[in-house]
Amino acid sequence: MNTEETTMDRMRSRPRFKMYTSLSPEEYSQNLKAYLKKHGKYFAGNINPQTAVITVITEYDHYWKPNLALRTELEDGRTAVRGIFGPSAAVWTFFMFLYFLFGILWMVFITLWFVGEKIKIDDYTWALPVSFVTLALIILTYLASLWGQKKAAHEMKLLRKFAISSTLPHEAAETTPAE
């Protein structure tokens, strides 16, 4: 039995997707604007010929509020649409900064403690408990990201439905261009 996997089926396991459409980038953005206007009660967004950012309208706004970022570009005479689901780039950057900062601090503290133990001085005994505090901060950052993802799960489902119903009807078959 041969089963086919569509672009939207691949989105279940990955927050990124790429599809080809039979529309030009301008036609695609006009189609997206019309679809957004039709469903403006539930979704808001900013749509340009090359990029679009779609969000779900809710009564509350939390730090992990997801959006759907779409980018259109021409590849070998066809229009490719690349989509990314997730929080804003500022939120991703902030969490990566925290992981980097706490990771570097942990390495510094554990190295200070280890070197102090090896050369048999008691000046850095404080570094071991501080390294455990830093590990706890890393775990808290991770738990905060999981909490944000869980809080945004319903909105992610709505954005996925938006992506399916607004782009799937215009998906073109993936064919390799002639060489």
Side-chain angles (χ1 to χ4, degrees), residues 98-99 102-103 106 133-143:
L98 289 179
Y99 287 131
F102 295 146
W106 178 79
V133 169
T134 308
L135 281 177
L137 290 173
I138 291 172
I139 292 169
L140 285 174
T141 302
Y142 177 71
L143 292 174

Side-chain angles (χ1 to χ4, degrees), residues 32-140:
L32 209 53
K33 285 179 186 179
Y35 190 87
L36 185 63
K37 189 174 185 178
K38 181 179 176 184
H39 295 91
K41 181 179 177 184
Y42 306 106
F43 300 100
N46 184 14
I47 301 171
N48 297 317
Q50 284 94 16
T51 61
V53 177
I54 310 297
T55 59
V56 178
I57 296 174
T58 58
E59 68 273 1
Y60 57 89
D61 195 17
H62 53 85
Y63 72 94
W64 203 273
K65 185 172 180 72
N67 60 40
L68 168 61
L70 298 168
R71 189 181 73 211
T72 57
E73 54 193 39
L74 287 174
E75 288 184 5
D76 300 322
R78 300 183 302 166
T79 302
V81 178
R82 296 175 189 269
I84 301 173
F85 292 97
S88 68
V91 171
W92 281 113
T93 304
F94 177 68
F95 274 85
M96 288 299 110
F97 171 76
L98 289 179
Y99 287 131
F100 178 77
L101 177 70
F102 295 146
I104 294 295
L105 286 175
W106 178 79
M107 287 188 288
V108 167
F109 294 140
I110 203 72
T111 302
L112 285 173
W113 172 78
F114 185 74
V115 169
E117 288 293 312
K118 288 298 177 190
I119 61 175
K120 308 248 190 284
I121 60 172
D122 293 332
D123 292 346
Y124 300 112
T125 56
W126 58 268
L128 183 62
V130 173
S131 71
F132 289 134
V133 169
T134 308
L135 281 177
L137 290 173
I138 291 172
I139 292 169
L140 285 174

